Amino acid sequence: GVGSTNTLDVRSSFSNFDVSSARTSAPGEAVVTVFPGNHYAGVWGTSFSTALVSGGVAIMVGARPSAKVSDIADSLDHGFKIAQAMGDARLDLVRSIQYLKKN
């Protein structure tokens, strides 16, 4: 599961949390995305956090195609530490990819 954080890396009030619900987290408040009618909009929700983590995982697999699921999970755990019952870390691609390439 993926939890949502705000711009201060604090768990969003609407977010999943605890180990059984949020193994990692990513921004999920005021995320700017495309919107119908050729516009952009700020959006809130764990589904947007999940999209960021999914895209990040795709980038990690591209950085190390031989990576196993457990390697990716360990790499996500080495992101930016925020605690707050939000898994081991918030998504941080630089830290996660550095860890993945070393291990």
Side-chain angles (χ1 to χ4, degrees):
V2 177
S4 169
T5 61
N6 65 20
T7 57
L8 301 174
D9 281 328
V10 174
R11 183 179 72 219
S12 300
S13 62
F14 54 80
S15 180
N16 306 327
F17 62 97
D18 255 338
V19 180
S20 61
S21 296
R23 179 172 175 140
T24 194
S25 60
E29 293 188 32
V31 176
V32 177
T33 186
V34 294
F35 191 76
N38 207 20
H39 294 75
Y40 294 93
V43 294
W44 280 252
T46 55
S47 44
F48 299 102
S49 305
T50 302
L52 292 173
V53 172
S54 298
V57 167
I59 291 169
M60 285 189 268
V61 170
R64 188 172 141 206
S66 64
K68 298 177 183 154
V69 172
S70 59
D71 298 331
I72 299 295
D74 288 345
S75 297
L76 287 171
D77 291 344
H78 285 83
F80 184 78
K81 305 295 183 198
I82 63 165
Q84 305 166 50
M86 298 290 288
D88 289 324
R90 189 244 310 134
L91 181 65
D92 184 324
L93 282 176
V94 172
R95 290 180 185 189
S96 293
I97 290 173
Q98 287 172 343
Y99 178 84
L100 184 63
K101 287 185 172 185
K102 290 179 186 175
N103 297 290

